[in-house]
Amino acid sequence: SIGKYKDSKMIGEWKFLYPNQEIEIIGSYVNGKKDGQWLWFYPNRQTLMEENWDEGERNGLFVEYDEKGNVITKGNYTEGSEEGEWSYENRGTIEKGNYFDGMKNGNTEYWQNGRVKISGQYTTGVQIGVWIKFDEEGNPSLTTTYKDGKEIQWNQYQIKE
């Protein structure tokens, strides 16, 4: 690591290095707390992640990339909590949803071809109502009903507690 301390607290720009001395992470501290933009890098020097901090809390845009530079996670933080629209891409599935104060509200996942994979609702982080899973051609394959975050029905079959 390369950086400075003042009164036993990290201050100013810091660089964290891989064993080969290439930069792994670069960011700044104010009074020992992360502040401003932080960048993370893969060993191949491609950007891994961009995150923004304000006095030790994530605040602002967050973006994560794969090793080829494609965005795999994108969203915003407000005072340390996910806020607004977020998107995630993983193994051919794209998930989009909204957050309020760090809790999911609404949710949809997509196949890589753009068709809906899963559609359903979160309210304050809890699954509710009818969720539908679709195959890659867009045909419904499973309907699950939730009440207070618990599965109560699959297709036409009631689930007993």
Side-chain angles (χ1 to χ4, degrees):
S1 302
I2 302 169
K4 295 180 183 177
Y5 288 92
K6 182 177 180 181
D7 299 326
S8 300
K9 293 181 182 176
M10 297 170 138
I11 61 165
E13 183 178 273
W14 274 73
K15 293 178 183 175
F16 299 87
L17 308 174
Y18 283 107
N20 67 3
Q21 302 304 302
E22 291 289 336
I23 295 173
E24 179 180 10
I25 307 166
I26 187 168
S28 294
Y29 287 92
V30 174
N31 292 322
K33 296 179 180 178
K34 289 181 178 181
D35 200 73
Q37 186 181 53
W38 279 65
L39 298 172
W40 298 60
F41 299 95
Y42 284 104
N44 67 6
R45 300 183 185 160
Q46 287 281 86
T47 302
L48 165 66
M49 187 168 50
E50 300 171 33
E51 56 182 350
N52 291 280
W53 293 81
D54 185 22
E55 297 181 3
E57 283 189 323
R58 283 187 169 150
N59 204 35
L61 183 63
F62 175 92
V63 184
E64 185 178 4
Y65 303 90
D66 66 16
E67 289 190 47
K68 295 178 183 173
N70 301 306
V71 174
I72 56 175
T73 305
K74 186 175 184 178
N76 281 286
Y77 282 94
T78 300
E79 297 177 353
S81 295
E82 295 98 332
E83 194 72 36
E85 185 174 305
W86 277 72
S87 64
Y88 307 90
E89 186 168 340
N90 186 16
R91 298 183 189 153
T93 299
I94 300 167
E95 180 180 346
K96 292 186 179 181
N98 286 295
Y99 284 80
F100 177 73
D101 203 21
M103 292 185 275
K104 284 186 176 183
N105 280 298
N107 190 65
T108 305
E109 289 184 29
Y110 298 89
W111 291 103
Q112 203 162 21
N113 65 14
R115 293 181 190 228
V116 174
K117 181 177 183 180
I118 300 172
S119 181
Q121 281 292 118
Y122 282 96
T123 299
T124 60
V126 177
Q127 290 174 296
I128 61 164
V130 176
W131 283 63
I132 304 171
K133 291 185 181 182
F134 299 88
D135 64 23
E136 286 188 69
E137 284 74 46
N139 302 307
S141 61
L142 177 66
T143 300
T144 306
T145 304
Y146 290 86
K147 182 176 181 182
D148 299 324
K150 293 183 179 182
E151 296 177 349
I152 61 169
Q153 185 174 332
W154 293 338
N155 292 334
Q156 69 269 22
Y157 302 104
Q158 295 290 328
I159 299 171
K160 297 186 181 194
E161 292 186 30

